[in-house]
Amino acid sequence: MIYVFEKIVSYMEYPFVRYAFVVGVLIALCASLMGVTLVLKRFSFIGDGLSHVAFGAMGIASVINLSGNMPFVLIVTAICAVILLKGGQNIKINADAAIAMVSVGALAVGYMVLNVFSASANVSGDVCTTLFGSTSILTLKKGDVLLCVVLSAAVIVLFLLLYNRIFAVTFDESFAKSAGLNVELYNLIIAVITSVIIVLAMKLVGSLLITALIIFPAVSSMRLFNSFKAVTVCAAVISVCCAAVGILISVVGGTPVGATIVIMNIIIFFVFSAADVVLRSVGR
Amino acid sequence: MALITCENLAVGYDSKVIAKNINFSVNKGDYVCVIGENGTGKSTLIKTILGIKKQLSGSISFGDGLSKGDIGYLPQQTDAQKDFPAAVKEVVISAFCGKKGVFAFYSKKEKAAAKINMEKMGIGHLANKKYSTLSGGQQQRVLLARALCAADKILMLDEPVTGLDPKAADDMYETIKKLNNEGITIIMISHDTEKSLNFASHVLYIGKNTFFGSTEDYVKIKENKMV
């Protein structure tokens, strides 16, 4: 145990490990905050679809050699987020099918572009990194870290300021509208925040595993808590703890970062589910 | 002057008209029961008056210092609410979601108003309970308390007794009548024509031939047709 602790301390002396730690925890926090709303709005799969869009955009960006491809990926993802959310209300194409189409379509385009046009010698390595995050979080530059910190802070501040309105829009759109709230605007804000989180989280866990970061903390805390506030706070705590422990384990044990964090979340989900069952049987 | 006046109003969605030639006016203290078959546009009419849906033609005018934001609304329940983790007090206070500036925290005054309305609806002791675990009747009381927070002059209720057992439904009717006696104007959509007409002062029938008038007139016309 002491050996592990010493190892962690010694790793923490490296700036790249500290960067990874800070960025990872911030991204996990953001993802869990929006997760509660997305799960309750039945938008879980929109997050998944968007992460594939982000992958496609990333592929295109890296081929046309955009320096600093994050803004490009962010804009493309945000536009798709808005389209998908609008499509949710428009029944001409089944929303479910629309998400699946956009999602796999973007995945195919991204992979194709990377394969055909990429100048890199290790295409499958690049693809794997973008999909599963692998070690990219340990290669963050100072600029990336700064951008991540600024964007995460913006997401958190925005969420806190709009918290009550986000609740109203999530619980009952019709009523919120009748009370004079611009529901379309808030749905738009939710969509844009979601895409920011997804693009950020791509660095941490890769595009295939982002949905886990958004959904698991929310669903876990819903097993045990009864109010929106308690669920949101608990989801944030779960997500931050899982990210922190996951990153430490992966640094010490050499496991892939993204997968380790997600597995931590899965464990918490089962622990909370078990606690829920036990509490129910004793009659709470 | 009438609180709400609709003239030649047509409602529907995506420019497809569901109900047209709707003419009626609601005065302070009225209890209007909106009836009609399924799919004739009753909910759409209410949503149009509230500004949730665009009106297709005709006019809606507000009088007596009333504006859209002053109408308390009790919508039909949605699927998402069935397992939604929300405490009763969170639901009630969300009535004020449209009223603030950028910094969206509820004031002491708003919290106090929410508390008063919860007590009024007899759900004060449930404030910290999870909304989705309450009985149907309790849930409707929560939504009624929320509607009262948003507005204390006029309420629009979309099928407030649907899904309630007979006893809870009767309680709900009594509660609504009590609010009406206190001077709150009621516009209520109902499927349960027989019972709701006992309480209503006016009837708005939406269908092939739209009717608006006092409950007595409606009953007379209906009886004549039967004969």
Side-chain angles (χ1 to χ4, degrees):
Chain A
M1 200 63 213
I2 293 166
Y3 166 75
V4 172
F5 185 72
E6 272 172 0
K7 200 164 175 187
I8 289 171
V9 170
S10 73
Y11 272 116
M12 274 300 172
E13 277 163 18
Y14 297 102
F16 68 88
V17 176
R18 286 204 300 270
Y19 290 161
F21 196 75
V22 169
V23 168
V25 167
L26 276 176
I27 291 171
L29 177 59
C30 292
S32 66
L33 289 180
M34 283 320 285
V36 180
T37 298
L38 292 176
V39 168
L40 289 170
K41 270 179 159 295
R42 307 285 189 265
F43 283 171
S44 301
F45 261 98
I46 288 186
D48 196 49
L50 287 179
S51 58
H52 294 175
V53 169
F55 169 79
M58 190 79 115
I60 293 169
S62 64
V63 164
I64 53 179
N65 252 330
L66 279 177
S67 53
N69 48 26
M70 209 134 128
F72 173 78
V73 178
L74 194 57
I75 289 165
V76 172
T77 313
I79 290 171
C80 285
V82 173
I83 292 170
L84 283 178
L85 283 185
K86 288 270 166 205
Q89 287 121 36
N90 185 346
I91 326 161
K92 274 169 197 150
I93 297 183
N94 181 328
D96 190 48
I99 294 165
M101 282 159 62
V102 171
S103 152
V104 290
L107 207 56
V109 169
Y111 187 56
M112 180 64 101
V113 165
L114 275 178
N115 252 293
V116 175
F117 300 105
S118 180
S120 161
N122 183 10
V123 172
S124 57
D126 285 355
V127 171
C128 194
T129 302
T130 334
L131 287 179
F132 294 105
S134 65
T135 55
S136 67
I137 184 134
L138 295 175
T139 60
L140 291 176
K141 289 186 210 78
K142 214 168 185 176
D144 289 336
V145 176
L146 212 62
L147 189 62
C148 273
V149 170
V150 169
L151 283 176
S152 317
V155 167
I156 293 165
V157 169
L158 206 57
F159 181 85
L160 290 177
L161 285 180
L162 300 180
Y163 169 79
N164 285 317
R165 291 172 178 206
I166 289 175
F167 171 80
V169 170
T170 311
F171 184 74
D172 194 337
E173 273 193 19
S174 297
F175 181 85
K177 235 175 180 175
S178 82
L181 208 61
N182 187 343
V183 171
E184 279 82 20
L185 174 70
Y186 285 94
N187 278 335
L188 196 73
I189 292 174
I190 290 172
V192 172
I193 293 181
T194 306
S195 38
V196 170
I197 291 168
I198 283 169
V199 173
L200 285 177
M202 245 173 113
K203 296 240 181 241
L204 180 61
V205 292
S207 64
L208 278 186
L209 300 178
I210 290 167
T211 322
L213 221 53
I214 293 175
I215 295 172
F216 269 105
V219 175
S220 298
S221 61
M222 272 180 225
R223 301 303 296 244
L224 288 187
F225 291 93
N226 286 334
S227 74
F228 192 74
K229 199 193 235 169
V231 166
T232 307
V233 171
C234 174
V237 172
I238 293 176
S239 191
V240 165
C241 292
C242 287
V245 174
I247 291 170
L248 290 181
I249 290 178
S250 78
V251 166
V252 174
T255 54
V257 183
T260 315
I261 295 175
V262 173
I263 287 167
M264 294 309 296
N265 273 299
I266 295 172
I267 293 170
I268 293 290
F269 172 72
F270 282 116
V271 170
F272 273 53
S273 301
D276 180 39
V277 171
V278 171
L279 283 173
R280 262 171 216 277
S281 65
V282 297
R284 220 186 296 222
Chain B
M1 196 188 168
L3 282 175
I4 301 174
T5 310
C6 293
E7 285 174 73
N8 290 321
L9 183 65
V11 300
Y13 41 79
D14 293 340
S15 73
K16 188 181 158 228
V17 175
I18 307 177
K20 56 185 178 183
N21 297 328
I22 303 170
N23 288 287
F24 70 97
S25 62
V26 181
N27 290 298
K28 194 170 184 309
D30 282 357
Y31 189 142
V32 181
C33 188
V34 184
I35 55 177
E37 300 295 312
N38 276 333
T40 46
K42 302 186 295 293
S43 293
T44 313
L45 168 67
I46 280 202
K47 284 183 180 163
T48 308
I49 296 172
L50 284 162
I52 296 173
K53 283 201 153 63
K54 273 191 208 125
Q55 71 196 70
L56 299 179
S57 66
S59 78
I60 305 170
S61 48
F62 297 102
D64 245 355
L66 186 78
S67 68
K68 268 178 199 166
D70 294 336
I71 305 173
Y73 177 42
L74 189 151
Q76 292 184 31
Q77 304 222 22
T78 63
D79 281 347
Q81 287 163 7
K82 278 178 192 146
D83 61 347
F84 199 105
V88 167
K89 61 178 180 186
E90 289 180 313
V91 175
V92 174
I93 204 161
S94 72
F96 300 109
C97 65
K99 299 227 188 260
K100 291 160 278 83
V102 182
F103 295 98
F105 297 102
Y106 294 121
S107 68
K108 277 205 176 110
K109 212 175 119 198
E110 286 162 342
K111 281 179 188 157
K115 208 171 170 203
I116 288 169
N117 283 312
M118 280 193 278
E119 295 297 342
K120 198 172 174 184
M121 289 296 108
I123 49 163
H125 61 293
L126 301 171
N128 291 314
K129 283 267 182 314
K130 188 175 177 181
Y131 170 80
S132 56
T133 58
L134 303 182
S135 73
Q138 287 170 329
Q139 288 186 351
Q140 291 296 8
R141 279 167 190 279
V142 174
L143 298 188
L144 205 50
R146 180 181 66 172
L148 282 171
C149 285
D152 48 10
K153 273 191 223 150
I154 176 164
L155 295 179
M156 287 199 173
L157 317 172
D158 195 343
E159 300 195 10
V161 300
T162 300
L164 301 190
D165 60 69
K167 166 124 193 353
D170 286 344
D171 284 352
M172 198 67 196
Y173 281 126
E174 290 297 334
T175 309
I176 295 167
K177 186 61 195 166
K178 224 169 110 194
L179 291 171
N180 182 235
N181 290 342
E182 287 169 17
I184 297 175
T185 310
I186 306 282
I187 300 177
M188 177 177 76
I189 296 179
S190 179
H191 270 304
D192 185 3
T193 318
E194 216 167 284
K195 256 185 194 158
S196 44
L197 289 191
N198 291 334
F199 300 99
S201 64
H202 292 76
V203 172
L204 174 61
Y205 176 84
I206 310 273
K208 254 188 193 163
N209 301 304
T210 303
F211 168 89
F212 177 71
S214 71
T215 308
E216 291 92 52
D217 287 348
Y218 176 77
V219 173
K220 264 184 216 160
I221 288 170
K222 221 182 157 195
E223 276 170 358
N224 285 340
K225 271 186 190 161
M226 296 266 201
V227 176

